[in-house]
Amino acid sequence: MARSVLERRLDTLDDRMAAAGFGIVTRPAKGLPTLPGNSVGRPVVHRWTCPAAHPCERLSSAELHPQAPACAMTGRPFVYGRARL
């Protein structure tokens, strides 16, 4: 499948930011955000979320894990709060 012009430009931006020492600045799923009021949106749920300064997208259910699971990278317990699916 052919990549869009936007995806190629965002990859170029990531390459240049990484070369300048800033690291990757876009997300893996590249695209334009939807405008407010233009979609049904993504639901917000309460889950255990990553405690890292730059959190990953891992979520854990409080129903399955009553106690906070530990982050494999930092060793710190997950934080309970709002997360968008």
Side-chain angles (χ1 to χ4, degrees), residues 2 9 16 19 33-34 39 51-52 55-57 71 79:
R9 288 183 179 170
R16 290 180 181 173
T34 57
S39 70
C56 70
E57 295 181 6
C71 173
V79 178

Side-chain angles (χ1 to χ4, degrees), residues 57-82:
E57 295 181 6
R58 182 173 171 217
L59 300 174
S60 186
S61 166
E63 292 83 21
L64 295 176
H65 302 279
Q67 300 295 321
C71 173
M73 294 296 291
T74 66
R76 296 184 355 219
F78 273 39
V79 178
Y80 190 76
R82 295 167 43 119

Side-chain angles (χ1 to χ4, degrees), residues 8-21 23-25:
R8 290 192 308 269
R9 288 183 179 170
L10 288 171
D11 283 341
T12 299
L13 173 65
D14 279 337
D15 291 343
R16 290 180 181 173
M17 293 296 284
I24 294 177
V25 295

Side-chain angles (χ1 to χ4, degrees), residues 24-59:
I24 294 177
V25 295
T26 65
R27 294 183 177 250
K30 297 182 182 348
L32 293 173
T34 57
L35 297 173
N38 195 23
S39 70
V40 295
R42 297 179 355 202
V44 174
V45 295
H46 286 82
R47 295 283 190 264
W48 294 112
T49 61
C50 180
H54 298 285
C56 70
E57 295 181 6
R58 182 173 171 217
L59 300 174

